[in-house]
């Protein structure tokens, strides 16, 4: 099994979905309360949470895949112990989570502008 497959098996699961979901809720309530209020008012909170969490989850896999493609981890670590590889996977998971939170989870916005009715 490759290191990428081990990372995905160990960390790419429902706990990761819950992690991104909770971080999005926390972000909205702490940093964006007016946006959160508008989402609730327009009945879009569930849609925002689902969309953002799904995108964050998929971005984690995308960034991980690219990290392994560009990083040549397999070749550089083939002589290392399993313990060393586990430590590396844990660090990669932490970095990937931080990357996704900063690039996706905290930046996504929905277009909340009401569509203008056909006035000509």
């Amino acid at each position: 099994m490759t290191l990428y497959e081990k990372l995905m098996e160990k960390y790419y699961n429902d706990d990761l979905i819950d992690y991104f979901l909770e971080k999005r809720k926390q972000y909205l309530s702490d940093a964006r309360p007016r946006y959160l209020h508008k989402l609730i008012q327009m009945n879009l909170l569930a849609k925002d949470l689902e969309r953002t969490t799904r995108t964050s989850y998929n971005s984690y896999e995308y960034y991980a895949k690219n990290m392994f493609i560009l990083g040549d981890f397999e070749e550089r670590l083939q002589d290392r112990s399993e313990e060393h590889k586990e430590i590396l996977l844990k660090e990669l998971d932490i970095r990937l989570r931080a990357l996704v939170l900063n690039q996706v989870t905290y930046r996504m916005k929905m277009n909340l502008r009401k569509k203008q009715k056909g006035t000509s």
Side-chain angles (χ1 to χ4, degrees), residues 28-87:
L28 289 175
S29 65
D30 293 348
R32 305 289 311 263
R34 289 178 40 194
Y35 180 70
L36 175 62
H37 178 70
K38 279 192 167 194
L39 287 173
I40 293 169
Q41 191 176 28
M42 299 174 84
N43 292 324
L44 294 172
L45 180 60
K47 186 175 182 178
D48 175 82
L49 292 174
E50 187 268 332
R51 185 173 140 253
T52 305
T53 303
R54 181 175 16 100
T55 304
S56 298
Y57 188 70
N58 292 338
S59 295
Y60 181 95
E61 180 185 27
Y62 172 79
Y63 288 135
K65 195 176 290 184
N66 283 325
M67 237 183 222
F68 276 91
I69 289 170
L70 299 174
D72 295 330
F73 291 118
E74 297 294 333
E75 292 172 12
R76 288 191 285 155
L77 298 172
Q78 69 187 33
D79 297 334
R80 302 290 177 147
S81 69
E82 284 300 314
E83 182 181 341
H84 185 81
K85 290 177 184 177
E86 289 298 319
I87 291 169

